[in-house]
Amino acid sequence: MSQPYNRIYNFSAGPCTLPVEVLEEAKEDLLNYKGTGMSVMEMSHRSKAYEGIIATAEADLRTLLSVPDNYKVLFLQGGASQQFATIPMSFLPQGKTADYVITGAWGKKALESANIYGKANVVFDAKADNYNNVPDLGSLSYTPGAAYVHFTTNETIQGVQFKSDPSLNSTVVCDMSSDILSRPVDVSKYALIYAGAQKNMGPAGATVVIIRDDLLATGPDGLPPVFDYKVQVENGSMFNTPPCWSIYMCGLVYKYLLRNGGLEGARKRNEEKANVLYNAIDNSHGFFKGHAKGDCRSTMNVTFTLPDEELTKTFIKETEAAGLDGLKGHRSVGGCRASIYNAFPLEGAEALASAMQEFAAKHGKALV
Ligand code: PMP
């Protein structure tokens, strides 16, 4: 079945597919936003209209995630990568240690920045297993008095995901870039959550930071203001020009999610899509092999390999020709990666599952 506007099934890991109805709304607003006579891209961030856009986006994000009142919400620039640096710059003082849980490539990148600013201790690293699993966070040995514990809920490249919120008596800092808003989360289990917009929330540009007041208060004085969370909070994310368009689009996505059953609705849809693909892997009699171990298989990034490099290339070429785009896996895992974030349609997952079944049958490993 063809998609509206002849769109293809876009399995990109991010930036990625956005809800069609959100794109239509943006199109509607593009030349003249609600009678202002200009687009959101052309509007001063200090204007009344824009103040309304950012305030509504924050309010809707708070509703979606049930963010408690003792947390601040920021929309910043710099991507999640800037947060890798800003977090240790702000909360890893000399003489303290921060614990890092490494379940894939992005956790490793966060660690690299922490090592520049202070002492980081790796409490778990799944490198020996090529990052195909996640630990039970409650069973790790943490540094007594650690400044914070950092982990990544969903490792986008490896496709491994923590399935529940941690219950730790420590300051938990979490990179939720690739699964925020894909399921309900208990924000009170975290001291700081950060996430780039470009997977589940909107186009690249904005980075959401949700920070608990007591952690915020411990930030040092004297940081360059653009990196100072307190300054950003005092200025309502507008110490400098915010990523206006990306925030506006996030706002439309939040409304779309609220209209469609909130995060519980998103969770159901995401699990259904992921099951279609994991079933295709599991029913292929070993032709396709899932990278992640069963209990931590990501509902966002489904990673799998084929029997050899030649078949992988052919599969990617053939699926691409059939309108299933962006399936090439990251070189560290090999094979394929199907990213199926919130806005990715179930029909696309079903189309890929059919293509997998046909391909496995054709190449001599018939399915039962
Ligand atoms: N963390 C995770 C889990 C990611 O998937 C990504 C980007 N794919 C990043 C961090 C880095 O994000 P950015 O490019 O916005 O800095």
Side-chain angles (χ1 to χ4, degrees):
M1 207 178 68
S2 77
Q3 288 200 80
Y5 306 99
N6 283 331
R7 286 161 61 81
I8 56 168
Y9 290 123
N10 172 9
F11 290 92
S12 168
C16 58
T17 194
L18 289 168
V20 171
E21 63 191 77
V22 164
L23 296 173
E24 282 173 334
E25 228 178 314
K27 183 177 158 197
E28 189 64 30
D29 283 347
L30 193 62
L31 289 164
N32 187 344
Y33 175 78
K34 315 253 181 272
T36 55
M38 63 183 89
S39 75
V40 175
M41 278 183 265
E42 300 162 299
M43 184 178 282
S44 164
H45 60 295
R46 308 280 177 204
S47 64
K48 269 270 161 296
Y50 197 76
E51 273 174 17
I53 288 171
I54 193 166
T56 307
E58 177 179 338
D60 287 341
L61 181 59
R62 282 183 175 274
T63 303
L64 278 167
L65 279 167
S66 305
V67 177
D69 289 344
N70 60 326
Y71 286 74
K72 300 288 186 285
V73 172
L74 293 170
F75 293 95
L76 304 177
Q77 304 212 36
S81 299
Q82 185 168 299
Q83 296 304 311
F84 293 166
T86 319
I87 289 162
M89 215 191 269
S90 307
F91 305 122
L92 180 49
Q94 284 235 317
K96 283 269 196 181
T97 301
D99 287 338
Y100 277 72
V101 178
I102 312 297
T103 54
W106 293 108
K108 233 158 65 176
K109 292 240 186 242
L111 172 71
E112 281 163 17
S113 281
N115 277 325
I116 294 170
Y117 289 100
K119 193 159 178 290
N121 175 37
V122 176
V123 288
F124 177 86
D125 190 334
K127 184 171 184 216
D129 300 319
N130 199 17
Y131 300 107
N132 69 356
N133 63 88
V134 303
D136 167 8
L137 288 174
S139 71
L140 302 178
S141 297
Y142 297 101
T143 307
Y148 60 83
V149 179
H150 180 282
F151 78 106
T152 313
T153 36
N154 183 71
E155 279 287 357
T156 321
I157 289 175
Q158 284 79 11
V160 296
Q161 184 179 34
F162 285 89
K163 293 295 169 185
S164 54
D165 297 308
S167 261
L168 302 175
N169 276 333
S170 38
T171 303
V172 178
V173 171
C174 180
D175 176 1
M176 249 182 229
S177 291
S178 55
D179 65 356
I180 195 165
L181 305 187
S182 70
R183 58 183 178 182
V185 159
D186 181 353
V187 172
S188 73
K189 303 285 188 197
Y190 304 84
L192 189 156
I193 293 170
Y194 64 99
Q198 68 268 28
K199 284 113 169 45
N200 275 333
M201 293 191 284
T207 309
V208 163
V209 176
I210 302 170
I211 181 167
R212 207 172 57 210
D213 288 342
D214 60 309
L215 177 64
L216 182 68
T218 67
D221 294 326
L223 285 177
V226 74
F227 299 128
D228 189 331
Y229 293 112
K230 282 187 279 195
V231 171
Q232 291 289 5
V233 165
E234 280 156 20
N235 289 278
S237 301
M238 296 218 209
F239 165 72
N240 61 332
T241 316
C244 302
W245 174 256
S246 177
I247 295 168
Y248 155 75
M249 289 292 288
C250 287
L252 296 185
V253 170
Y254 301 156
K255 291 255 183 251
Y256 157 85
L257 285 170
L258 287 167
R259 282 196 300 277
N260 286 281
L263 299 191
E264 195 48 53
R267 184 184 64 76
K268 281 206 194 95
R269 292 190 295 276
N270 289 326
E271 283 178 359
E272 191 180 0
K273 281 181 285 178
N275 282 338
V276 166
L277 293 181
Y278 287 120
N279 285 340
I281 293 169
D282 293 341
N283 294 334
S284 73
H285 298 279
F287 186 85
F288 296 105
K289 287 197 170 59
H291 176 71
K293 283 204 172 156
D295 56 352
C296 64
R297 285 173 153 182
S298 170
T299 55
M300 301 278 96
N301 312 97
V302 178
T303 45
F304 56 94
T305 54
L306 285 82
D308 62 44
E309 199 49 42
E310 222 27 64
L311 283 169
T312 308
K313 274 194 197 142
T314 310
F315 180 70
I316 289 168
K317 209 168 125 195
E318 286 183 8
T319 45
E320 202 175 295
L324 305 171
D325 190 68
L327 285 168
K328 192 172 175 353
H330 191 269
R331 63 186 177 286
S332 60
V333 177
C336 295
R337 169 173 53 170
S339 296
I340 48 170
Y341 299 112
N342 275 357
F344 191 89
L346 174 64
E347 297 73 30
E350 287 168 345
L352 175 57
S354 298
M356 289 167 76
Q357 197 168 1
E358 275 169 32
F359 193 84
K362 183 170 154 196
H363 291 275
K365 320 274 167 162
L367 304 179
V368 176

